[in-house]
Amino acid sequence: MTAMRNHAWTAAMPGVFVLLWSTGFIGAKFGLPYAEPFTFLVVRFVVVVVLLGAMVAASKAAWPRDLKLVGHLAVSGLLVHAIYLGGVFGAIRLGVPAGLVALVAGLQPLLTAAVVGPLLGEHVGWRQWLGLGLGLIGVAMVLSTRLTGVSFDGFGWDGMAFAIAALLGITAGTLYQKRFCTGMDLRTGTLIQYLAALAVSLPVAMTFETMEIRWAMPFVLALGWLVLVLSLGAISLLMTLIRLGEAAKVASFFYLVPPMTAILAFLLFGEALTPLALAGMAATAVGVALVVRAKA
């Protein structure tokens, strides 16, 4: 019975991850008007570190004995948390439409597939390439309606640089995690990753931002959601998926994030779901299925 439950949870993990990860853009939309991006991240990381520290102390989780692993965990945390999240938050703060940021980040599965062979020795078959291409087309279809009428004069290359940094950060972070950090204890390993991200984000916030926060209820609710659901829940699922699966297949799940975000925006904010967006969601789902089920 326990084995069946474990198998069912493993099968459900990708879907749960996509749902939770998709809410990150919603949380950013609520919270960023009240704090600058890296200030927001610093507060978020501090709360996460306190909660994880208490969890590690209560469970007496084992700390890594290999200093090399500690270093690898720090690099992974810097890429996944500081650079990716800082890039997303910074781009949105500088006026880049959230849909465009999501589209740039949506290149991650293709970028991962392009480099996963030389770096990890994983072979990406033609069915997986077909699925990756179909998934990207589907993402573009979903986001095209959200970008209609958007003025591209409202942001500069600095905003796009942040978006590209986010793409490179999450791509390099997932690959680095798969290559060097799969043996980590999820509790202490994640804590080390967030400490490294905090150590980088805090000086950036102190140097380039005012660090002023308006402690309004929307900010508090967004912060609580991003801490509990994203920084603790979704990240733990991502690290588990990376440990269990091939990098290219795990990366393909990110294609499902923009369609899920569009559905959440429809349910929460009444944003329209056009026939083109619905067709894009179907194309994305088929593309991801091809990647996950293909025999490399």
Side-chain angles (χ1 to χ4, degrees), residues 35-75:
E36 294 161 295
F38 280 92
T39 299
F40 194 166
L41 288 178
V42 165
V43 177
R44 177 176 171 178
F45 293 157
V46 167
V47 177
V48 171
V49 165
V50 170
L51 293 177
L52 273 176
M55 185 187 304
V56 167
S59 63
K60 298 181 180 179
W63 290 89
R65 297 180 180 180
D66 187 355
L67 291 180
K68 287 185 179 179
L69 178 56
V70 174
H72 289 317
L73 289 168
V75 172

Side-chain angles (χ1 to χ4, degrees), residues 35 191 204 234-235 252 254 277:
L191 179 55
V204 173
I235 287 294
S252 70
F254 284 89

Side-chain angles (χ1 to χ4, degrees), residues 4 18 23 45 56 74 176 197 231 258 261 274-275:
M4 291 179 61
V18 169
T23 64
F45 293 157
V56 167
Y176 198 93
S231 293
T261 302
T274 66

